[in-house]
Amino acid sequence: MRRYWFKKYGWAYIPISITGSLVTIAAILLTGACVWILDRQCSFLSDALIHFFIYFTCIAFWWKWIAESTAQKPNNHDAS
């Protein structure tokens, strides 16, 4: 029996286990750390936004990939 970390809810993934919650918290903390570092290093807002977009999309991609890989699949009751 496989344990699931996330549950698909519409377009979103909701953590349903401690491991899924830890992965989500780690992604949020990593994003917050990137914001804090970029705020200290960048002198212009446009530079900070460009760098933040790059880091955020990488973090969000990996979080979504983990969530999709460990998500509980919805039951489809098709007649086919």
Side-chain angles (χ1 to χ4, degrees), residues 24-42:
T24 303
I25 290 169
I28 291 169
L29 289 176
L30 187 57
T31 303
C34 288
V35 168
W36 184 63
I37 290 169
L38 289 172
D39 185 44
R40 290 179 49 216
Q41 290 182 351
C42 294

Side-chain angles (χ1 to χ4, degrees), residues 55-69:
Y55 289 118
F56 178 75
T57 54
C58 290
I59 294 167
F61 168 79
W62 285 111
W63 180 87
K64 186 175 184 302
W65 181 76
I66 292 170
E68 281 181 344
S69 300

Side-chain angles (χ1 to χ4, degrees), residues 1-79:
M1 184 171 163
R2 183 175 175 190
R3 292 233 20 188
Y4 297 107
W5 296 356
F6 293 89
K7 182 176 183 178
K8 187 169 176 67
Y9 184 74
W11 288 0
Y13 292 92
I14 308 298
I16 59 172
S17 71
I18 293 174
T19 310
S21 297
L22 290 175
V23 169
T24 303
I25 290 169
I28 291 169
L29 289 176
L30 187 57
T31 303
C34 288
V35 168
W36 184 63
I37 290 169
L38 289 172
D39 185 44
R40 290 179 49 216
Q41 290 182 351
C42 294
S43 57
F44 296 107
L45 179 62
S46 59
D47 292 340
L49 289 175
I50 290 169
H51 286 95
F52 174 73
F53 178 74
I54 294 168
Y55 289 118
F56 178 75
T57 54
C58 290
I59 294 167
F61 168 79
W62 285 111
W63 180 87
K64 186 175 184 302
W65 181 76
I66 292 170
E68 281 181 344
S69 300
T70 61
Q72 182 178 1
K73 306 294 186 242
N75 293 333
N76 292 334
H77 298 290
D78 293 338

